[in-house]
Amino acid sequence: ADQPKLMEEKKCFKLIEQSFGIEEMKYWQQYGIDSNTLQRFHVKSLARYESVSNQGKPFTLVSTHGEPIFAYCMEKFVKVYRPKSKLRFLYGGEKVDDYVFGFEQLPSKGDMVFITGGEKDVLSLSAHGFNAICFNSETAQIPENIIEGLQLRFRHIIILYDSDETGIREAKRQTDELAQYKVLSLTLPLQGIKQEKDISDFFALGNGAKELKELLAKMFSDLYS
């Protein structure tokens, strides 16, 4: 009787990988994300994804031209990302609640590290030459032991969340809670609507590393003036 429960917690899944198609690469490239970045962060393109629903029913998702399927592959689990589908995210395997996406790709030391809202934002920042990580969600409490570790390695820790109501509220809450670590927060000058709210959108709108550096310079001068 114990067996099925175990299966349920593990959420068995099967990935049928394929190479990134031209249209799929275009999707990532609009954010400046190249194939090297996708490889570095273990992002795969899937032809099919097979798993079992919460009700125990097997199901298969098939990639189509209009609805591609990507997977962020972590050690023990996978986060399936379908940017153009109604149900955008799915998890397979043993989901770890306190996982940090991008952590293993960080250098041992650096000037600054961004804590951002999601995996795609980590990828787009990294592709533009910045260090970044994200947690499970913007509303997840950032673990202090991770901040302490980052503080030893980076001069500045900067929260860079969405420019919508939730993102702005959560960025303020996190910087308040982590005040002793002098964590900073940068709000992007975006409208905060669906197509224009995060750092990936910022890059898709034609901005680059230069524009982000200008925003940072302004943030630092406001802080120290």
Side-chain angles (χ1 to χ4, degrees), residues 24-145:
E24 295 185 333
M25 277 316 296
K26 269 191 194 155
Y27 169 74
W28 294 103
Q29 280 160 350
Q30 65 179 321
Y31 305 112
I33 298 165
D34 56 1
S35 53
N36 282 355
T37 305
L38 293 170
Q39 230 170 351
R40 230 180 108 220
F41 288 87
H42 317 299
V43 185
K44 313 268 191 236
S45 168
L46 304 185
R48 283 206 325 278
Y49 174 74
E50 298 172 7
S51 188
V52 179
S53 75
N54 293 341
Q55 286 74 41
K57 289 199 174 95
F59 68 90
T60 301
L61 299 175
V62 180
S63 167
T64 64
H65 187 70
E67 294 192 55
I69 307 175
F70 304 114
Y72 298 119
C73 300
M74 326 290 176
E75 267 177 43
K76 298 229 171 116
F77 70 102
V78 63
K79 183 173 182 177
V80 176
Y81 174 46
R82 300 190 301 157
K84 300 182 176 169
S85 306
K86 234 187 180 135
L87 181 64
R88 284 167 55 217
F89 296 109
L90 289 161
Y91 291 93
E94 290 179 78
K95 183 176 161 225
V96 192
D97 275 334
D98 56 358
Y99 80 96
V100 189
F101 182 80
F103 197 79
E104 60 166 289
Q105 286 82 4
L106 291 178
S108 54
K109 281 217 170 336
D111 185 42
M112 60 177 93
V113 61
F114 288 99
I115 295 174
T116 190
E119 289 84 0
K120 190 172 74 190
D121 298 332
V122 170
L123 299 176
S124 67
L125 280 161
S126 178
H128 286 86
F130 299 93
N131 302 311
I133 56 170
C134 73
F135 295 93
N136 212 351
S137 75
E138 289 186 339
T139 53
Q141 187 45 48
I142 298 172
E144 294 201 9
N145 62 327

